[in-house]
Amino acid sequence: MDGPPPLLPYEKQALMDLLTDDCLVVTGEGIPFQNTLLTFLDSFSNPGTLVLVVECPGDLEEWLLEKLTLSETAVVPPKKLTSEVHIEKRNEHYLMGGVQFISRTILVIDLLLKRVPVDLITGLIFFNAHFISDISIESFITRLFRTENKMGFIKALSSNPVQLNKNNQVEQCMRHLFLPQFHLWPRFHVNISESVEKHKCDVVELHIPLTDVMRNLQLTIIDLLHFCMKEIKKQVPSLDADFFVVENAVTKNYFRSLKVALKPMWSHLGANTKQLIDDIRTISNLNNQLLRCTAVQFYAAAHKLRPSGIGASSNVSMWMFTEAFERLLSLSKKRVEQGGSETIERSPKWEAVQEVLEEIKSECGNKKNTLFCVSSHAIARQIVKFIKYGETATLQEDLTCTQQPKSARTKAPSDEGEDPSQTVFGLEYTDNIHFLIQSKDLLIYDQLTELDPTYVILHDPDLFMIRSLEMFRCRRPGKPLRIYFLIYDNSIEEQRYLTQLSGEKNAFERLILYKGNMTEYTDQDGKNGTNPLLQRGQQSLLFEDLEQGKDTREVAKKGKFPKVIVDMRDFRSSLPSILHKSGLDIIPRTIEIGDYILTPDICVERKSIMDLIGSLASGRLYQQCQAMCSAYKHPMLLIEFDEANGFSLQNYSAVSDSVVTTSLQTQLTLITLHFPKLRMIWSQSEYTTANIFHELKKNKEDPNETVAENLLKGSSTEFSEFNQSLVNSLLALPGVTSKNYFNLARKYKNFKELSLATQESLTQALGNKEDGKLLFEFFQQKDSGNDGVAGGSKSKASDKYSKFKKFRKR
């Protein structure tokens, strides 16, 4: 490869924008940008520059690495820096320059530990900018970078204009990445439109009418959706009215948006309401099956939903007892009830596919270079069966499979990662027909180039795919490309496609309007050092100096901030970023015990709600608490939840007067009883946690890194040498506590030796005369109860405990 491929006119303009400004680049869905990015990175592949590409999507990263490695114009080959690359090796790569691909977690840790020569960085490139906020790791990286480097560039890319319009996300992204400009590349951009018109595809739109039964089924499904929405509205009247519009319910992201909207009140919702929310997804899937499955397959899917028995109605959704559901079952049966496979209702798209293939064959004499674009492997297998064996044989096979007992059916190949032409029939495929599964893969252009189709049958409408085919045609001037666009007329499929198209168009129009009225902030790019976001201890969090009661700006002038040791694994969260912004110096370390070391005596184990539940279930939390209590004077368990989301230890509908040993409240109570030294802290957000940490560090010295690491390693080794199940039993004995069990377990091999110990020996091990007496009398009472004589034989006691395992694992 001599160098990057030639660019289209709009790509050349986009390249000029990248080279000129620190900017955010927003492209429409299916508008390729990888060639522009490749050319941009190729120009920096030399030892005099260092460009860090942060968190690049996997498929795009592999493609860029391959192309830059093969490029003859790249002086320095690209490098991929992962956790497997040794620290010293990473330092060498940084000094070598060129283009380096790196994860955001590794980069932020290397920046904090001064492993990266920040002054030598030429620039940073970020992806998925629509997810970046004030607490994201990317904004943390740019603050660290811009604080010490005023010359390097920052670029950000996004292909989701709809998300950028939500909650003023575009402004948040630009502010926190220090970007003064943003450039928009929608499909209707004049440069893109001219390129497409110049090399226009021959598009044949086939609007296929639904059968009468399919149309009635679609209306029935809409009625079921309306029923569920009406019931949800009764339970949650405060929900936005847009969620109760049936037209919105057929879009791809409706269910996810509904879950997000209900998240703040989720713990207050009853079981019936949650069931209705899940039912919306079930009913929407029914509509997809109606349009994409055969009549037999849809019949089987619909009847699988029928309640197995009226007596079990307490667990059955309410909509299954409606007249609409009975009509759904009746209509689905009507499509197949006429008997043989010859009379089963066929898929209307099959007839269209057959006509298209005959037209292609009549034009070129065969089906040379014909490509099917489908939404799943299941549809690809269905089309392969239809073309190879015919309609009757395909439907008969479905009917036979449905009528067979479940145990006798042959398991169908999985849809994941399969080539239908190979896994189903063991052929490349008949008559040079190929299949391409639709996805948002940025490298789909390479797949299209390899297949080099002349005819494309777009079986399922997809905005990304149609745009990809248009741009593919622009790169092949003089080569014909005909696209057969198959879509059901007046269907939910058509409504979903048009909604997606108009949604993106409206999003770009709002972004264009925002760009025309955009407010310019002082020192937006942060290169003058006056941007308030670069000032630590300001903005959303203000704290006082630990000693003098002054603002943390005074501490900053001294060049010294309080220190906190943070476990490297916790850098996946946003808390380290907030702590650093609030005026704490972060020291990344690999910690065996705890997540945050605030002082020599204070260790904090941080848990989210889901992590807390998982840790309690696995028993890991008990071990973590025990390790902290053994190593630190003030161990703390921080439980953090999101203030924007509803939270309760137990769902309101599940509250009962009885004590359940597996409940979260019971397990937390046992933890507090078992570890009296442990302090439990509840925090409603990362910002509240930062305030708590500052309060805990007031008038306290900073943790010593060397001492802390040695202490942690020692404690971890000692703690891990015991069998925890036996330690639990040991802690249940009188006189044994979390403070003294350690010496007891190390002095005695097992319960047999412990039961034979004298009172003096136990007192010495426990460090307390009363505890030693309690434990000694416990064993004496157990012995006397067995022998009938006070102070009975020790041999009996030794026999009693002889079957116990050793306290130590080794």
Side-chain angles (χ1 to χ4, degrees):
M1 178 179 173
D2 296 332
L7 302 179
L8 296 174
Y10 86 90
E11 293 176 320
K12 293 178 182 178
Q13 181 59 49
L15 179 61
M16 292 302 298
D17 294 339
L18 279 179
L19 292 170
T20 305
D21 304 319
D22 283 2
C23 60
L24 166 65
V25 178
V26 186
T27 60
E29 188 168 353
I31 304 299
F33 199 78
Q34 56 265 36
N35 285 326
T36 305
L37 182 60
L38 174 62
T39 306
F40 179 78
L41 293 177
D42 188 72
S43 64
F44 291 96
S45 298
N46 59 76
T49 61
L50 175 58
V51 176
L52 299 178
V53 183
V54 184
E55 210 72 31
C56 183
D59 52 353
L60 179 60
E61 182 180 75
E62 292 178 7
W63 185 81
L64 289 172
L65 282 167
E66 178 184 354
K67 298 298 182 183
L68 289 172
T69 302
L70 297 175
S71 175
E72 295 181 0
T73 58
V75 180
V76 178
K79 299 290 188 303
K80 182 177 180 179
L81 305 182
T82 65
S83 57
E84 297 177 358
V85 179
H86 194 268
I87 296 172
E88 295 180 359
K89 197 69 175 178
R90 288 211 302 269
N91 293 338
E92 293 178 10
H93 289 326
Y94 290 137
L95 296 175
M96 287 172 60
V99 178
Q100 313 278 347
F101 293 82
I102 189 170
S103 72
R104 56 186 184 175
T105 305
I106 292 176
L107 179 56
V108 74
I109 290 173
D110 284 355
L111 286 170
L112 288 169
L113 294 176
K114 309 295 183 184
R115 295 172 181 166
V116 187
V118 182
D119 55 322
L120 299 181
I121 297 178
T122 307
L124 304 174
I125 300 177
F126 298 98
F127 295 85
N128 295 322
H130 45 276
F131 292 129
I132 294 175
S133 64
D134 59 329
I135 61 175
S136 62
I137 299 178
E138 288 84 354
S139 60
F140 190 10
I141 291 171
T142 52
R143 287 203 311 269
L144 295 172
F145 170 69
R146 192 54 83 199
T147 299
E148 299 186 31
N149 188 321
K150 308 297 182 184
M151 301 299 296
F153 66 76
I154 300 174
K155 319 287 183 183
L157 309 176
S158 172
S159 59
N160 195 333
V162 176
Q163 184 67 32
L164 282 171
N165 272 284
K166 294 180 180 178
N167 303 319
N168 209 16
Q169 179 64 26
V170 64
E171 181 182 0
Q172 292 292 320
C173 172
M174 292 177 64
R175 285 191 63 213
H176 293 286
L177 291 185
F178 304 102
L179 301 174
Q181 297 290 335
F182 73 102
H183 302 287
L184 304 173
W185 292 99
R187 168 61 178 81
F188 56 81
H189 191 285
V190 61
N191 288 351
I192 297 178
S193 297
E194 288 178 355
S195 296
V196 173
E197 287 296 324
K198 186 177 179 181
H199 307 285
K200 197 170 183 178
C201 298
D202 180 12
V203 180
V204 180
E205 292 189 16
L206 298 177
H207 291 265
I208 304 166
L210 296 169
T211 65
D212 292 339
V213 181
M214 289 180 69
R215 190 179 301 108
N216 290 332
L217 278 169
Q218 183 176 262
L219 292 174
T220 303
I221 290 172
I222 292 175
D223 288 342
L224 291 173
L225 284 172
H226 183 71
F227 174 84
C228 292
M229 289 179 179
K230 189 167 66 173
E231 292 298 320
I232 292 174
K233 189 174 183 178
K234 292 179 184 178
Q235 303 294 330
V236 194
S238 60
L239 198 61
D240 192 272
D242 289 342
F243 287 107
F244 304 114
V245 179
V246 176
E247 286 75 10
N248 294 335
V250 301
T251 59
K252 290 182 178 179
N253 296 325
Y254 174 81
F255 184 78
R256 183 172 59 186
S257 300
L258 180 61
K259 292 290 288 281
V260 171
L262 290 173
K263 200 172 182 181
M265 60 190 84
W266 188 256
S267 61
H268 299 269
L269 299 178
N272 289 337
T273 306
K274 292 179 179 179
Q275 180 64 50
L276 284 167
I277 294 167
D278 289 333
D279 290 341
I280 288 179
R281 180 173 7 191
T282 301
I283 297 170
S284 297
N285 288 338
L286 269 180
N287 180 73
N288 294 333
Q289 290 171 314
L290 172 65
L291 300 178
R292 296 176 180 176
C293 296
T294 65
V296 177
Q297 291 170 340
F298 179 78
Y299 169 79
H303 279 258
K304 191 183 294 184
L305 298 175
R306 179 192 284 272
S308 57
I310 300 300
S313 60
S314 58
N315 296 325
V316 177
S317 302
M318 293 182 289
W319 60 274
M320 293 186 182
F321 298 99
T322 63
E323 184 273 335
F325 182 65
E326 291 300 323
R327 188 167 67 250
L328 175 78
L329 298 178
S330 174
L331 289 170
S332 64
K333 185 178 181 180
K334 185 177 180 180
R335 300 175 73 196
V336 299
E337 68 180 356
Q338 299 177 18
S341 58
E342 294 85 358
T343 58
I344 296 175
E345 185 178 79
R346 71 185 298 184
S347 172
K349 281 191 178 181
W350 285 6
E351 184 176 352
V353 167
Q354 191 172 25
E355 291 177 358
V356 167
L357 291 177
E358 289 175 355
E359 179 180 322
I360 294 172
K361 186 175 182 179
S362 65
E363 286 189 3
C364 61
N366 55 34
K367 303 182 184 69
K368 181 181 180 182
N369 295 332
T370 300
L371 175 66
F372 269 94
C373 295
V374 295
S375 59
S376 70
H377 286 84
I379 294 178
R381 287 195 295 268
Q382 183 188 111
I383 295 173
V384 168
K385 291 179 185 178
F386 168 68
I387 298 174
K388 185 171 182 180
Y389 301 115
E391 174 190 351
T392 303
T394 303
L395 292 175
Q396 183 61 49
E397 181 182 343
D398 286 345
L399 190 61
T400 303
C401 183
T402 304
Q403 293 172 347
Q404 282 180 343
K406 189 173 182 180
S407 59
R409 297 176 193 174
T410 303
K411 186 177 179 181
S414 171
D415 279 359
E416 299 297 327
E418 295 180 356
D419 180 354
S421 60
Q422 294 179 1
T423 57
V424 178
F425 298 104
L427 308 170
E428 178 190 10
Y429 188 63
T430 309
D431 298 331
N432 293 321
I433 296 179
H434 302 273
F435 284 84
L436 182 62
I437 307 302
Q438 295 168 358
S439 67
K440 298 189 184 302
D441 190 344
L442 296 173
L443 307 183
I444 199 168
Y445 305 97
D446 286 357
Q447 296 173 331
L448 290 171
T449 302
E450 181 180 350
L451 295 171
D452 192 26
T454 303
Y455 302 96
V456 176
I457 301 175
L458 196 60
H459 187 272
D460 305 305
D462 182 78
L463 183 59
F464 183 89
M465 197 66 215
I466 192 68
R467 297 264 180 84
S468 301
L469 290 168
E470 285 181 335
M471 305 315 297
F472 171 68
R473 173 67 180 87
C474 292
R475 299 190 184 282
R476 302 195 322 163
K479 291 187 176 183
L481 178 64
R482 181 181 298 173
I483 302 174
Y484 292 92
F485 185 75
L486 277 58
I487 188 168
Y488 282 116
D489 196 22
N490 295 322
S491 67
I492 292 179
E493 181 181 69
E494 183 181 47
Q495 177 66 34
R496 183 184 293 133
Y497 175 75
L498 295 176
T499 301
Q500 184 183 14
L501 196 63
S502 62
E504 184 189 90
K505 181 176 178 292
N506 294 335
F508 269 115
E509 288 175 348
R510 288 193 294 269
L511 289 174
I512 292 171
L513 181 62
Y514 172 78
K515 185 176 182 180
N517 303 315
M518 187 171 59
T519 303
E520 294 187 8
Y521 294 94
T522 304
D523 190 27
Q524 174 67 37
D525 58 7
K527 293 182 178 180
N528 294 333
T530 59
N531 191 309
L533 293 178
L534 294 175
Q535 306 301 317
R536 296 173 63 186
Q538 311 251 338
Q539 299 297 317
S540 56
L541 290 173
L542 288 172
F543 298 96
E544 295 182 350
D545 182 35
L546 300 181
E547 297 180 358
Q548 302 181 14
K550 298 179 181 179
D551 193 275
T552 48
R553 284 174 287 187
E554 297 295 325
V555 183
K557 292 178 181 179
K558 303 174 187 176
K560 182 180 179 182
F561 284 103
K563 296 180 180 179
V564 173
I565 299 176
V566 181
D567 185 13
M568 289 187 181
R569 288 159 291 195
D570 211 55
F571 274 88
R572 301 186 188 95
S573 71
S574 56
L575 183 56
S577 173
I578 295 174
L579 292 176
H580 184 271
K581 182 70 174 66
S582 69
L584 292 174
D585 275 344
I586 306 299
I587 305 172
R589 290 289 184 270
T590 301
I591 305 175
E592 296 296 334
I593 301 177
D595 294 321
Y596 295 83
I597 311 299
L598 305 185
T599 72
D601 295 329
I602 299 177
C603 172
V604 179
E605 179 70 32
R606 177 173 175 251
K607 297 287 185 186
S608 65
I609 298 300
M610 295 306 297
D611 191 18
L612 175 69
I613 295 171
S615 298
L616 284 170
S618 65
R620 183 162 49 94
L621 182 61
Y622 179 87
Q623 298 178 3
Q624 291 170 332
C625 292
Q626 194 158 21
M628 286 196 297
C629 292
S630 300
Y632 289 93
K633 186 177 180 181
H634 300 296
M636 298 184 181
L637 176 62
L638 174 73
I639 303 173
E640 191 173 273
F641 55 94
D642 190 349
E643 61 182 338
N645 299 327
F647 165 70
S648 63
L649 286 175
Q650 187 175 3
N651 192 295
Y652 286 6
S653 60
V655 174
S656 98
D657 296 332
S658 60
V659 176
V660 182
T661 56
T662 57
S663 70
L664 189 60
Q665 299 100 310
T666 304
Q667 291 176 317
L668 287 177
T669 302
L670 291 174
I671 287 288
T672 55
L673 291 174
H674 218 85
F675 303 103
K677 190 166 67 169
L678 181 70
R679 295 294 176 262
M680 197 174 295
I681 303 173
W682 294 85
S683 174
Q684 64 181 2
S685 69
E686 292 95 339
Y687 289 103
T688 304
T689 300
N691 280 286
I692 293 171
F693 281 9
H694 275 270
E695 290 297 320
L696 291 173
K697 281 190 65 66
K698 275 188 177 180
N699 303 318
K700 304 289 193 309
E701 61 179 302
D702 291 331
N704 186 292
E705 302 166 42
T706 306
V707 173
E709 284 185 304
N710 291 337
L711 174 64
L712 291 173
K713 291 176 182 177
S715 298
S716 177
T717 302
E718 293 172 347
F719 176 71
S720 62
E721 67 179 323
F722 298 115
N723 290 308
Q724 293 308 307
S725 60
L726 296 186
V727 169
N728 294 342
S729 301
L730 186 63
L731 287 166
L733 298 177
V736 182
T737 68
S738 59
K739 298 180 181 180
N740 58 27
Y741 86 93
F742 186 80
N743 293 332
L744 204 63
R746 297 206 64 167
K747 184 170 183 178
Y748 304 103
K749 184 183 298 185
N750 52 30
F751 275 107
K752 177 181 177 181
E753 286 191 6
L754 182 62
S755 66
L756 295 173
T758 63
Q759 181 174 343
E760 292 75 14
S761 177
L762 292 174
T763 299
Q764 184 181 2
L766 294 174
N768 183 282
K769 187 175 181 180
E770 290 298 323
D771 291 339
K773 182 179 179 182
L774 282 172
L775 184 57
F776 179 76
E777 290 179 350
F778 168 77
F779 286 118
Q780 293 302 309
Q781 289 173 2
K782 299 293 284 185
D783 296 338
S784 63
N786 290 329
D787 297 338
V789 180
S793 171
K794 286 285 185 177
S795 63
K796 295 270 182 123
S798 64
D799 291 340
K800 176 180 175 61
Y801 297 106
S802 61
K803 295 183 180 180
F804 276 86
K805 297 179 181 178
K806 296 180 179 179
F807 290 129
R808 295 199 189 188
K809 293 179 181 178
R810 55 182 183 274

